[in-house]
Amino acid sequence: MSSPEIASLSWGQMKVKGCSTTYKDCKVWPGGSRTWDWRETGTNHSPGVQPADLEEVVKKGVKTLVIGRGMSEALQVPPSTVDYLKKNGIDAVVLQTEKAVAEYNALAARGVKVGGVFHSTC
């Protein structure tokens, strides 16, 4: 199963190829995607992305996980979150969201088992 292409990104809106939903923030993995609802884990811009935000994508067997920190990189990614991925044998890529989407799509196009969590506003 391949990772779906992110078809479009603009402030506050993301579309995943093959999915009719428009996301604000989203999680993607080989074979699927869904809304990333920060309220599920109590995530805020600071301290930022927590391992609990990534567990669902990690369980999908990804080899690389791309984290989009927002258009202005307001979303923090603490070292403990990157360490969590490394301990699970997963390469972490943390970038501004437009760059993160480009990197994710490039990896997906090469057939890498890539997942992502993306914040599409600040």
Side-chain angles (χ1 to χ4, degrees):
M1 206 169 301
S2 60
S3 299
E5 176 187 345
I6 295 173
S8 66
L9 167 67
S10 59
W11 184 274
Q13 295 189 335
M14 298 184 72
K15 297 282 275 174
V16 175
K17 193 172 186 176
C19 179
S20 61
T21 304
T22 299
Y23 301 114
K24 177 178 173 249
D25 299 325
C26 75
K27 297 181 179 188
V28 290
W29 58 84
S33 64
R34 79 170 182 94
T35 294
W36 178 18
D37 183 351
W38 292 15
R39 293 172 294 196
E40 292 172 355
T41 56
T43 295
N44 288 296
H45 286 104
S46 181
V49 182
Q50 302 302 302
D53 294 307
L54 308 178
E55 284 176 359
E56 176 181 18
V57 179
V58 166
K59 288 178 182 173
K60 303 291 184 181
V62 300
K63 300 297 178 206
T64 302
L65 200 149
V66 180
I67 300 172
R69 294 188 49 214
M71 301 300 220
S72 305
E73 298 185 270
L75 179 61
Q76 302 300 303
V77 180
S80 59
T81 298
V82 174
D83 290 344
Y84 162 78
L85 291 171
K86 287 180 181 171
K87 285 177 186 162
N88 281 280
I90 297 168
D91 293 328
V93 179
V94 180
L95 297 166
Q96 183 267 357
T97 295
E98 290 162 310
K99 292 176 182 166
V101 165
E103 179 67 13
Y104 167 89
N105 279 341
L107 291 166
R110 290 202 319 260
V112 174
K113 286 189 81 171
V114 62
V117 294
F118 301 99
H119 179 43
S120 73
T121 58
C122 47

